[in-house]
Amino acid sequence: LTLNVALHAQSAAEILKDKEAPLFYYGIDFTKAKLIGDPNANSNDIVERQFAGINALMLNEAKKYDIAGAFRREELKSDLSFVDKRNASIDPDNIASSNTEDFYHLSEKDMATLVKGFNGGDRTGTGLLFVVEGMSKYKKALSVWVTLFDIKSKKILLTERVEGEVGVAFSFRNYWAAGFKNVIDKISNRKYKEWVSK
């Protein structure tokens, strides 16, 4: 019986529906992100401080950025060390862009490649990763690939591009954090139901 269970990979819908199925949050991966239309941004500071700051904010203010609630979980176990390490290795010279098309530069295939190279530790179950595609000052929005994958096999169970509008904020961190809140709210209000019914 255990053999059958191991071979039967659950679908994303089954995992989302099953409140007991462990879901593990790995944070926000910025390694593919393009910052569009912000020529005065300090790319070194963004890599050294801001990306980690946004990631920490999501967990430090978990009531406001309710990722667990969006996925109908009481709580989400998480470990940001893998994304923090990846994000810290980004080349600051590759972040800035003035090309509006960079807001749409990734595909499902890119997610498969990224997850294959992602180290999720020796956990089992389902990993949740937010992969940032574009952060556009022109559009006042960011685009994120919400990705669920099997931690052991690194097989993608679901990946979907979701856009989040930003509001008005003075710091880099808070400006873009509003976009993530918007993405989380969209999952909570609409996307979760769509994914479960697939």
Side-chain angles (χ1 to χ4, degrees):
L1 179 77
T2 38
L3 189 67
N4 287 343
V5 174
L7 290 175
H8 170 71
Q10 283 184 295
S11 72
E14 288 172 316
I15 289 158
L16 290 174
K17 253 183 233 156
D18 177 4
K19 306 279 193 291
E20 302 306 309
L23 197 56
F24 198 88
Y25 175 63
Y26 282 104
I28 304 165
D29 189 310
F30 288 96
T31 54
K32 301 281 180 210
K34 290 289 181 195
L35 178 61
I36 306 152
D38 192 357
N40 301 321
N42 180 342
S43 297
N44 288 313
D45 181 61
I46 290 168
V47 172
E48 285 164 21
R49 285 186 337 121
Q50 303 299 344
F51 287 159
I54 292 171
N55 257 309
L57 184 68
M58 300 294 130
L59 299 184
N60 292 339
E61 297 187 21
K63 273 200 165 63
K64 182 177 179 183
Y65 304 98
D66 190 6
I67 301 166
F71 286 90
R72 311 300 192 264
R73 296 299 197 268
E74 285 291 314
E75 61 161 343
L76 277 188
K77 290 194 165 63
S78 61
D79 183 351
L80 301 178
S81 64
F82 300 105
V83 292
D84 281 345
K85 208 164 153 183
R86 284 171 63 83
N87 293 337
S89 69
I90 294 169
D91 180 350
D93 295 337
N94 288 340
I95 296 172
S97 164
S98 54
N99 179 358
T100 56
E101 288 177 320
D102 277 339
F103 197 64
Y104 308 96
H105 72 106
L106 296 176
S107 67
E108 287 183 20
K109 221 160 92 190
D110 293 310
M111 293 310 112
T113 307
L114 186 142
V115 167
K116 265 201 189 77
F118 187 83
N119 175 3
D122 48 12
R123 293 188 182 83
T124 54
T126 306
L128 167 63
L129 194 60
F130 289 162
V131 180
V132 183
E133 176 177 34
M135 305 162 78
S136 173
K137 274 295 191 68
Y138 301 138
K139 284 180 76 77
K140 296 187 172 43
L142 51 77
S143 48
V144 177
W145 287 79
V146 179
T147 304
L148 289 171
F149 63 98
D150 181 79
I151 298 169
K152 259 207 158 13
S153 68
K154 300 192 177 175
K155 180 177 174 276
I156 288 196
L157 305 170
L158 177 143
T159 186
E160 188 173 320
R161 187 180 180 282
V162 183
E163 289 184 17
E165 297 73 36
V166 295
V168 182
F170 295 108
S171 73
F172 181 93
R173 185 193 76 167
N174 292 348
Y175 183 82
W176 294 111
F180 288 106
K181 176 158 181 15
N182 205 286
V183 166
I184 294 160
D185 289 347
K186 279 183 180 169
I187 296 168
S188 192
N189 299 333
R190 196 176 74 240
K191 291 286 174 195
Y192 175 85
K193 294 186 191 87
E194 283 174 21
W195 294 335
V196 163
S197 62
K198 269 181 182 164

